[in-house]
Amino acid sequence: MTQHLFILTGASRGMGLAMARQLLQPGHTLLCLSRHTSDALAQQAASSACELIQWPQDLAEGAAASARLADWLTTQAADAYASATLINNAGVIPRIGPVRDADAADLAHALRVGLEAPMQLTAAFLHATATWTAARKVLNISSGLGRRAMASQAGYCTAKAGLDHFTRCLALEEGLKPGGAKVCALAPGVIDTDMQVQLRGANAAAFPDRASFVGLKDRGLLTSPDDAAARVLAWLERADFGANPVADVRDAG
């Protein structure tokens, strides 16, 4: 039994797309949940011995996404995979500005995609695979902003802080269960993605930290999506994955 299952959200752009490309390897089954499917990924999968499944899925509808995942997992044989990994990568930045000027629907959307959906998908994944013999992992893509407060970023910071604490709780639960899943909320560093473009392009009057993000770009301190993806996937393969449920790729060791 050499097949490995990976379930990845937010695979249509940025680091998520880079991770998907790197996971398209022989012996892998990759299920991607994103707002849009990728023709490039489909072409790459067709030329490799890798099974790719792409679901166009709005992760703001986490209950529907998790129900769909649970149903699909129940169709898989319990002994079909040597390992099964859920990577909750998707996230969005709500409108950049102070909370007093926030739109309620915009805040709700950010929390649904960045926190609610990962919790629901994780619950579905762990329940559906509870009797599997496969080694199971849950990797939640966090952020330094989940651990450091920033003005005008309350929605994003809160979603990531919640994801961190959710992962801590999850680690305690799974640690009590024989064969429990290994879990980690991992900050991937500062990456040159569309999110950084949003931050640099924000109104300086509404975003006091705008200059620091401009400086990161100007000084060449942003990691490419491909490099960030490689570092995250290398962390996933560490023998001590999950030993620290909240980690950063820049941590020593």
Side-chain angles (χ1 to χ4, degrees):
M1 182 173 57
T2 59
Q3 198 72 11
H4 299 274
L5 172 64
F6 295 89
I7 303 161
L8 173 64
T9 69
S12 61
R13 61 181 183 174
M15 190 181 73
L17 178 58
M19 282 195 288
R21 287 172 175 154
Q22 293 175 30
L23 286 169
L24 286 176
Q25 299 177 20
H28 287 184
T29 296
L30 175 61
L31 169 59
C32 296
L33 287 72
S34 307
R35 285 186 65 86
H36 307 287
T37 59
S38 168
D39 291 340
L41 281 181
Q43 291 170 7
Q44 182 180 339
S47 63
S48 68
C50 174
E51 181 182 7
L52 172 67
I53 305 161
Q54 298 190 80
W55 292 349
Q57 183 72 55
D58 183 357
L59 290 169
E61 302 296 333
S66 60
R68 185 179 186 183
L69 177 61
D71 289 344
W72 183 81
L73 286 169
T74 60
T75 69
Q76 306 301 299
D79 60 352
Y81 301 102
S83 70
T85 301
L86 170 63
I87 305 175
N88 287 307
N89 166 71
V92 295
I93 294 182
R95 180 180 175 273
I96 299 169
V99 171
R100 63 178 175 273
D101 296 329
D103 176 77
D106 191 35
L107 285 175
H109 180 261
L111 291 170
R112 285 179 181 141
V113 174
L115 179 56
E116 184 177 293
M119 293 181 71
Q120 293 166 321
L121 290 168
T122 299
F125 172 75
L126 293 176
H127 183 77
T129 61
T131 61
W132 289 19
T133 56
R136 296 172 302 145
K137 297 178 181 178
V138 177
L139 173 60
N140 292 323
I141 301 301
S142 185
S143 169
L145 291 184
R147 303 157 200 181
R148 178 171 66 91
M150 181 171 286
S152 299
Q153 279 290 284
Y156 185 76
C157 289
T158 299
K160 293 302 185 182
L163 193 62
D164 284 353
H165 214 49
F166 164 61
T167 308
R168 293 184 183 100
C169 295
L170 187 62
L172 292 174
E173 295 174 0
E174 291 300 300
L176 295 173
K177 180 180 181 294
K182 303 298 183 182
V183 303
C184 180
L186 183 67
V190 188
I191 310 166
D192 197 2
T193 62
D194 291 344
M195 193 172 289
Q196 286 290 318
V197 174
Q198 287 179 260
L199 293 167
R200 293 194 302 272
N203 183 338
F207 185 33
D209 289 276
R210 177 182 176 275
S212 67
F213 288 94
V214 172
L216 289 171
K217 177 69 170 179
D218 290 346
R219 297 195 302 275
L221 298 178
L222 299 178
T223 305
S224 73
D226 285 338
D227 286 347
R231 293 173 73 180
V232 166
L233 294 178
W235 193 282
L236 184 64
E237 295 304 315
R238 286 171 55 135
D240 63 348
F241 176 85
N244 184 359
V246 176
D248 190 301
V249 291
R250 295 161 291 192
D251 291 344

